[in-house]
Amino acid sequence: MYPASPLLSFPPPAPATGRTLAERAGITLTVKTTFTTSEGKRASVKNVQPHRNHLPRRRNPKRMRSIQPTPLSLAERYPEFAVQVQVISQGGYPAEQILERKPEETHDLQELIPGLYLAFFDGDSSGEQPKLDDPNKPWTHIVNIVYPSESAEESLKGSSEQSYKDGVQYLRLTLPTSTRAQLQSSARTGLGLTDAHLRTVRDFIAQALPSHIAALPDQRDIRVLVTAPHGRPTDAMCAASCYLSFASGRDVVEVLRFVDEEEDFLSVWKGEVSENECERTQKIAKAWSWLSQIARPLGV
């Protein structure tokens, strides 16, 4: 300790060194820097520094479904049209109901050439067919493309049947049973008609509407209707284009291009035939027919 009184000698003595707390308490502390296992081997120290090999691995995450907002109806998106004129009607539906119609409630009736029409219809000759605006001009020939019944085993590969009723000639084309599975699918339906179907419908329409009659611009005495179930425009377009190609001598792709470029045609009938389906239809249109000898080119 340093003296508290004046110095008696110079230099003063060094201060006495005190004991540490461990010494005063009688405790001995040691630090171990080498670790060994029970076998006496040196244990390795884990690397605690961040490294990509030490990061936790994430399993493949489940894909989350995107939540799509509920689409608004036409009336909700365009309220100004929903309250407009109520005296206009279209296809027998009041104007205020046109925006809310379901696709199954419309036929989308389309005239391709004078006397040849396309429409959607979920039925056959036993149901009420789509009608023209003029009730004095009924159909003379009707082609109904229909799904097979669940119990009809004979239509596994499709079938065709002709009948006559109330002055109208009918051709019923039953699709293969494999097409029924497409009812529950949201994928494109595509061409369900077989080659035999296309050949049958080609000759049926060509016999009803020969090219020399179809070429007349004012022809209205013969009225042929081709219907297909809702959501199957490809079947109706291939059936009609097969006949038009056969009667006119033009390629199917030219007939389809004519339909696509016609502004007055409904868009639901445009762009529905793929390249492979066009080639299949072209093959049948060029195939031999007993009507080939009497058919004359039809200008399209």
Side-chain angles (χ1 to χ4, degrees):
M1 300 294 294
Y2 282 97
S5 59
L7 296 175
L8 299 179
S9 63
F10 186 84
T17 303
R19 294 185 302 170
T20 63
L21 177 62
E23 294 174 344
R24 294 197 305 267
I27 300 175
T28 302
L29 299 177
T30 58
V31 178
K32 197 173 184 179
T33 59
T34 303
F35 300 91
T36 59
T37 61
S38 58
E39 292 81 4
K41 297 180 180 181
R42 185 173 181 178
S44 60
V45 181
K46 292 185 177 181
N47 186 3
V48 296
Q49 298 297 325
H51 190 270
R52 63 183 180 90
N53 293 333
H54 303 294
L55 296 178
R57 297 184 181 275
R58 187 177 64 174
R59 296 181 179 180
N60 294 332
K62 293 183 178 180
R63 199 169 188 177
M64 298 182 61
R65 295 182 179 179
S66 59
I67 302 177
Q68 299 292 341
T70 304
L72 299 177
S73 63
L74 292 176
E76 292 174 336
R77 284 183 291 172
Y78 306 101
E80 63 274 14
F81 294 105
V83 295
Q84 283 188 356
V85 188
Q86 300 182 1
V87 297
I88 303 177
S89 63
Q90 176 179 345
Y93 293 89
E96 64 272 13
Q97 297 180 4
I98 292 177
L99 294 177
E100 299 297 335
R101 282 185 297 167
K102 298 180 180 179
E104 291 77 8
E105 297 176 352
T106 64
H107 297 304
D108 291 321
L109 185 64
Q110 177 66 65
E111 183 180 21
L112 293 182
I113 63 172
L116 179 60
Y117 298 79
L118 302 180
F120 289 119
F121 178 58
D122 293 304
D124 50 27
S125 57
S126 60
E128 185 178 359
Q129 305 284 344
K131 298 180 180 179
L132 292 171
D133 296 335
D134 190 352
N136 297 323
K137 295 182 177 180
W139 305 113
T140 60
H141 301 77
I142 296 179
V143 178
N144 289 136
I145 302 173
V146 299
Y147 284 113
S149 60
E150 297 180 356
S151 59
E153 297 182 357
E154 65 274 11
S155 57
L156 289 175
K157 297 182 179 180
S159 62
S160 61
E161 179 185 0
Q162 295 190 35
S163 60
Y164 182 82
K165 180 181 178 182
D166 299 331
V168 182
Q169 296 188 33
Y170 292 91
L171 173 61
R172 175 191 173 99
L173 300 178
T174 304
L175 295 169
T177 53
S178 58
T179 58
R180 180 169 288 279
Q182 297 174 345
L183 287 172
Q184 308 298 331
S185 174
S186 59
R188 176 180 178 270
T189 55
L191 178 60
L193 296 175
T194 64
D195 291 352
H197 283 150
L198 292 173
R199 186 179 293 105
T200 301
V201 70
R202 177 201 66 181
D203 293 345
F204 179 82
I205 302 178
Q207 188 176 3
L209 195 62
S211 57
H212 63 277
I213 295 180
L216 301 176
D218 55 349
Q219 192 286 124
R220 291 294 184 272
D221 295 332
I222 300 175
R223 291 168 295 278
V224 181
L225 173 65
V226 179
T227 71
H230 283 87
R232 304 197 66 94
T234 305
D235 290 319
M237 281 303 307
C238 287
S241 61
C242 186
Y243 155 73
L244 291 173
S245 175
F246 170 76
S248 64
R250 305 287 184 87
D251 291 338
V252 172
V253 65
E254 295 184 58
V255 175
L256 295 175
R257 187 181 300 114
F258 162 76
V259 174
D260 294 341
E261 296 177 353
E262 183 59 48
E263 297 180 357
D264 294 336
F265 286 176
L266 298 175
S267 60
V268 70
W269 303 111
K270 298 181 178 182
E272 293 295 337
V273 182
S274 67
E275 183 177 354
N276 292 336
E277 294 164 346
C278 183
E279 292 178 357
R280 277 189 55 195
T281 306
Q282 179 68 49
K283 178 181 177 181
I284 302 302
K286 296 298 183 182
W288 179 89
S289 171
W290 64 273
L291 295 169
S292 301
Q293 298 179 357
I294 61 175
R296 289 186 291 179
L298 164 66
V300 178

